[in-house]
Amino acid sequence: MVEIGLFKSRPSFYVYKCISTQCLWITAFAMVYFSESTVVHLSAALLMGLFFQQCGWLAHDFLHHQVFRKRKYGDYAGIYWGNLMQGYSMQWWKNKHNGHHAVPNLHNSSADAQDGDPDIDTMPLLAWSLFQAKQGGDSKVTKFFIEHQAYFYFPILLLARISWLNESFKVSYGIGAATENAALELKMKGLQYPLLEKVGVALHYVWMLAFVSGFGRFSFFHSFTLFMVATCSCGWFLAIVFGLGHNGMATYNAATRPDFWKLQVTTTRNITGGHGIPQAFIDWFCGGLQYQVEHHLFPMLPRHSLKETHKLVESFCKEWKVQYHEADIVVGTREVLQHLDQVAAEFVADFLLDGPTM
């Protein structure tokens, strides 16, 4: 792969992606600035949510150091597309995402441990296995959420960005951390770019306030509505992609985890076109994560090399009889919801079997 140049970044590709993504931001601002139509304003907020999602893929590429040879340049680009454009802390994201890549879909060894995948540490709202559900304790609230988790899945996705903004703000300004692992890293190393992180997040809220308020023209209710539309649509646009990447796939605990290759492949789902959705749209919308398997195996591989790598990985998995799974957005979403429903059914059955008798 190195010899045939798959790890070599193509600058023209990333220049195009940066310019075309920034144009979404400019267009959304123009729609708010030049129009007095509520429909246009709501459309602009949806477009801003899509802009946030596409920023996420760019920050992801830069912070995986797929583009520049010198890591600090990737970090600077990550702060631009992460902190300034999205309001997300670069270091918060790195801590969370590096942990995810190391142990995808691996459960914490105990309820208080921090050695599992932070992306599936979603209790008490969602449980991805019976093992995880049983770690949630006997709270009636937890049992209610798990029992109905297939119905709560999409509403939770809509609110995901609010949680990410909150955690990012706390990390950037030293107020706290989402996990003990992140808190320990901050205590030992501090922020890598403390001033840039703070300034980036602060400026994000400055321009976001200008956008949702129509440069001071809109009422509070109108501004709040635009903020929530942009925020919730972004949460859904982002989470539907990386949720399909792993949710509903195999989960493991420390005792049953396979080797690195099998762990990365069996916990991951690729996304294809289908059900009337063309592959070209999937390739753009998913920002490279439609090839989630290949990305997990080779996280520093540039986005434009994933398609060619996909053929090599699929062939290798067939040869060595390693499960390799692909699904379109509709089928994949159905698999995720069915998995959540199955875990809920197993949890209820287990509770009735082992619970106290009257």
Side-chain angles (χ1 to χ4, degrees), residues 25 29 48 52 84-85 203-211:
W25 184 81
F29 259 94
M48 189 62 77
F52 288 147
L84 179 60
M85 290 292 103
L203 289 178
H204 168 79
Y205 285 107
V206 170
W207 73 251
M208 190 61 182
L209 179 62
F211 173 74

Side-chain angles (χ1 to χ4, degrees), residues 263-285:
L263 177 66
Q264 301 295 334
V265 176
T266 61
T267 59
T268 308
R269 176 195 293 107
N270 277 3
I271 307 172
T272 66
H275 279 84
I277 304 174
Q279 186 64 45
F281 174 79
I282 294 297
D283 292 342
W284 173 79
F285 183 76

Side-chain angles (χ1 to χ4, degrees), residues 1-2 5-10 66 69 301-302 304-305:
M1 290 174 64
V2 174
L6 291 179
F7 282 92
K8 187 176 181 180
S9 175
R10 194 163 69 236
Q66 299 173 6
R69 291 183 180 180
L301 194 72
H304 51 74
S305 295

Side-chain angles (χ1 to χ4, degrees), residues 145-160:
F145 272 106
I146 294 175
E147 187 176 352
H148 301 91
Q149 60 182 2
Y151 300 100
F152 287 122
Y153 180 65
F154 282 111
I156 289 171
L157 295 189
L158 290 172
L159 298 175

Side-chain angles (χ1 to χ4, degrees), residues 157-304:
L157 295 189
L158 290 172
L159 298 175
R161 176 170 158 81
I162 295 175
S163 173
W164 301 331
L165 288 173
N166 175 55
E167 296 303 332
S168 292
F169 187 88
K170 289 194 296 184
V171 168
S172 295
Y173 285 90
I175 300 173
T179 65
E180 291 298 325
N181 181 283
L184 181 61
E185 180 184 270
L186 288 171
K187 182 178 179 180
M188 294 177 63
K189 301 179 181 179
L191 284 173
Q192 190 176 0
Y193 303 97
L195 180 60
L196 289 178
E197 289 251 25
K198 291 180 177 65
V199 171
V201 169
L203 289 178
H204 168 79
Y205 285 107
V206 170
W207 73 251
M208 190 61 182
L209 179 62
F211 173 74
V212 299
S213 69
F215 299 91
R217 301 184 347 256
F218 303 154
S219 68
F220 172 81
F221 177 77
H222 194 84
S223 299
F224 180 75
T225 300
L226 295 186
F227 173 80
M228 290 305 296
V229 169
T231 298
C232 293
S233 62
C234 166
W236 192 88
F237 291 147
L238 277 171
I240 194 66
V241 174
F242 59 67
L244 283 178
H246 298 283
N247 293 345
M249 296 297 291
T251 58
Y252 299 98
N253 56 42
T256 61
R257 62 182 291 181
D259 59 57
F260 173 83
W261 184 279
K262 288 184 178 179
L263 177 66
Q264 301 295 334
V265 176
T266 61
T267 59
T268 308
R269 176 195 293 107
N270 277 3
I271 307 172
T272 66
H275 279 84
I277 304 174
Q279 186 64 45
F281 174 79
I282 294 297
D283 292 342
W284 173 79
F285 183 76
C286 297
L289 296 188
Q290 70 275 20
Y291 298 115
Q292 187 78 268
V293 175
E294 290 72 23
H295 168 65
H296 261 258
L297 292 170
F298 309 104
M300 292 183 68
L301 194 72
R303 190 193 308 186
H304 51 74

Side-chain angles (χ1 to χ4, degrees), residues 305-320:
S305 295
L306 289 170
K307 184 176 182 180
E308 188 173 351
T309 304
H310 164 69
K311 300 173 185 176
L312 300 175
V313 171
E314 187 176 26
S315 175
F316 182 89
C317 289
K318 286 181 180 178
E319 180 180 351
W320 292 94

